[in-house]
Amino acid sequence: KLRGKNPFEGPAVSGQYEWSYRQADAAAWAEYYGVPFREPLGLEMDPRFLARACVAAVQLGSGVPFCRALFQAIFVDGPDEIGADECARRAEAVGLSGAELLERIEHPSVESELQATLEDALAKGVFGVPSFVVRGRMFWGNDRLVLVRHHLHKLAAAR
């Protein structure tokens, strides 16, 4: 949306945004990685709220475990809704206080950190998820992980 157009709204702008392709591609990657996957069709959620929850968890020192628990909820467990209650429950499951997480989500520093992260990503040329920026070089897509690994090995060898 920061770029002005959401490619997921309206008719597909290219084949990569066609629903049937995206669904089959996600399922294929899950099979390749040997991880469970369910398409979160009909899941009620506010992506901005969930992004703020992740930033809050980072600020509270448990960003990675909380984000993994949230992905588990979205792409594996399949609740009908992921909101404050589910975020609090997932926080408790990874050792955070659910009440503290929900309180932190509303802290002004969370929204400002989220906005700064989005603007930084945009400035670096990020255009999709997942994206990896390594010393100014951007890699997009989980199929580029092999290239990220290769680039990191090259950097390490150069030291």
Side-chain angles (χ1 to χ4, degrees):
K1 287 183 178 178
L2 287 176
R3 292 189 184 279
K5 170 144 178 40
N6 184 342
F8 299 101
E9 293 174 354
V13 294
S14 70
Q16 75 190 59
Y17 294 103
E18 301 252 351
W19 180 248
S20 61
Y21 174 79
R22 295 182 63 76
Q23 191 172 19
D25 191 53
W29 279 110
E31 179 185 337
Y32 174 78
Y33 285 118
V35 297
F37 173 77
R38 118 189 198 311
E39 191 64 53
L41 294 172
L43 176 63
E44 293 290 324
M45 64 179 170
D46 174 358
R48 188 76 179 200
F49 178 82
L50 298 181
R52 288 193 345 255
C54 290
V55 171
V58 167
Q59 290 182 353
L60 294 171
S62 291
V64 170
F66 177 77
C67 289
R68 285 185 175 150
L70 200 53
F71 284 173
Q72 174 82 23
I74 294 169
F75 296 108
V76 179
D77 297 342
D80 294 331
E81 178 182 0
I82 298 180
D85 291 343
E86 188 66 25
C87 283
R89 192 171 81 72
R90 299 290 169 156
E92 296 283 343
V94 299
L96 285 173
S97 160
E100 190 176 2
L101 178 83
L102 294 179
E103 183 179 315
R104 190 75 186 172
I105 288 171
E106 301 305 323
H107 194 276
S109 67
V110 168
E111 182 61 32
S112 62
E113 186 174 333
L114 176 58
Q115 193 60 35
T117 300
L118 291 170
E119 290 170 6
D120 181 54
L122 186 64
K124 290 177 177 171
V126 170
F127 56 85
V129 174
S131 290
F132 308 91
V133 179
V134 180
R135 293 197 180 161
R137 182 170 173 191
M138 193 202 41
F139 300 86
W140 175 74
N142 63 315
D143 56 329
R144 301 307 195 281
L145 285 171
V146 67
L147 297 179
V148 173
R149 186 176 293 118
H150 176 72
H151 187 65
L152 290 170
H153 286 302
K154 278 187 2 184
L155 291 174
R159 279 198 250 145

